[in-house]
Amino acid sequence: LAKTTQPISMDSYEGQEVNITCSHNNIATNDYITWYQQFPSQGPRFIIQGYKTKVTNEVASLFIPADRKSSTLSLPRVSLSDTAVYYCLVGDMKTGGFKTIFGAGTRLFVKA
Amino acid sequence: GAVVSQHPSRVICKSGTSVKIECRSLDFQATTMFWYRQFPKQSLMLMATSNEGSKATYEQGVEKDKFLINHASLTLSTLTVTSAHPEDSSFYICSARDLGAGGTDEQYFGPGTRLTVT
């Protein structure tokens, strides 16, 4: 399983764009990159998943460079309610044998 | 998206008793479910992988006789904490895998169960 490294914490202000970068130097060919969000006392919530280049959905964008050794989750115009822990995970989705191992995550604190 | 439920949402039990936590996939069939434990201010720790119709696979350091997992149907997995002790107090989270038609995998998490052992 590819190990991931993220900043432990980040601070931002309402309305700003937040970029959280995750390093996964030993990512394998079949591995996908998935980001989850977790609020206190709740289960993680899926945010976005990608394999390469750029993926965008209604809540975030995911940028993956050509070497795929890192990825950046971009949250546009954050609000106070985006204060949460964000986890980056890497694994082989297609075989169905992917075990979701969580790293330490990044604690994002959005200030007014 | 798909929904995973857990029951109960919180439970308080006395030391030495057993507690069962249910995890259900409400609108999809899940051949694989996972159980996690999370202590305050820490990340989720994978305890075991539960496969429908077969024995669960436990992670290193997790006592299989203490944390009994049953995955008898494609929509239900249960975790029983046997002879609970105060150190078992934690937030238990399950997830279910929905292997989509496109071949990519989506994993949905339950809301968690807060267990307090007194």
Side-chain angles (χ1 to χ4, degrees):
Chain A
L1 296 169
K3 182 175 160 54
T4 60
T5 304
Q6 304 172 232
I8 293 176
S9 65
M10 293 181 71
D11 287 345
S12 183
Y13 288 93
E14 279 191 293
Q16 288 188 333
E17 178 185 78
V18 171
N19 296 308
I20 306 174
T21 297
C22 178
S23 297
H24 28 80
N25 291 318
N26 59 341
I27 188 169
T29 303
N30 291 335
D31 286 348
Y32 280 70
I33 300 155
T34 311
W35 285 80
Y36 288 90
Q37 175 192 56
Q38 187 184 28
F39 297 112
S41 296
Q42 294 186 27
R45 184 176 74 100
F46 173 88
I47 301 174
I48 198 165
Q49 182 181 88
Y51 183 79
K52 62 181 179 181
T53 62
K54 177 183 174 183
V55 179
T56 297
N57 61 22
E58 62 276 9
V59 298
S61 294
L62 179 59
F63 298 92
I64 306 168
D67 66 5
R68 303 200 327 121
K69 292 184 184 298
S70 67
S71 59
T72 299
L73 173 72
S74 181
L75 304 172
R77 296 180 299 282
V78 293
S79 63
L80 296 176
S81 62
D82 292 317
T83 294
V85 180
Y86 293 83
Y87 295 98
C88 158
L89 291 92
V90 173
D92 182 352
M93 298 303 195
K94 291 199 171 187
T95 65
F98 173 43
K99 254 188 336 186
T100 311
I101 304 293
F102 283 78
T106 298
R107 291 185 176 274
L108 173 65
F109 186 66
V110 180
K111 296 180 259 191
Chain B
V3 177
V4 174
S5 70
Q6 280 184 242
H7 178 80
S9 59
R10 56 179 63 236
V11 58
I12 300 172
C13 71
K14 291 188 176 181
S15 187
T17 62
S18 296
V19 174
K20 180 185 285 188
I21 302 170
E22 293 185 348
C23 176
R24 293 181 185 273
S25 57
L26 297 187
D27 48 5
F28 66 99
Q29 294 183 330
T31 54
T32 304
M33 290 183 171
F34 301 89
W35 286 96
Y36 298 83
R37 181 165 55 180
Q38 186 175 34
F39 293 107
K41 303 284 188 191
Q42 294 187 23
S43 184
L44 286 79
M45 185 195 81
L46 179 65
M47 300 174 67
T49 302
S50 169
N51 294 299
E52 186 266 337
S54 64
K55 290 184 179 180
T57 304
Y58 290 81
E59 294 298 305
Q60 191 172 8
V62 178
E63 300 174 59
K64 62 181 180 181
D65 294 331
K66 180 171 183 61
F67 299 99
L68 301 179
I69 291 172
N70 184 279
H71 193 160
S73 78
L74 288 172
T75 59
L76 173 65
S77 176
T78 60
L79 168 68
T80 301
V81 183
T82 62
S83 187
H85 289 101
E87 56 266 31
D88 297 323
S89 298
S90 187
F91 192 53
Y92 291 86
I93 305 170
C94 74
S95 70
R97 171 167 291 150
D98 183 9
L99 195 58
T104 56
D105 178 352
E106 294 205 25
Q107 194 166 344
Y108 300 93
F109 287 81
T113 297
R114 174 75 59 192
L115 170 63
T116 303
V117 184
T118 61

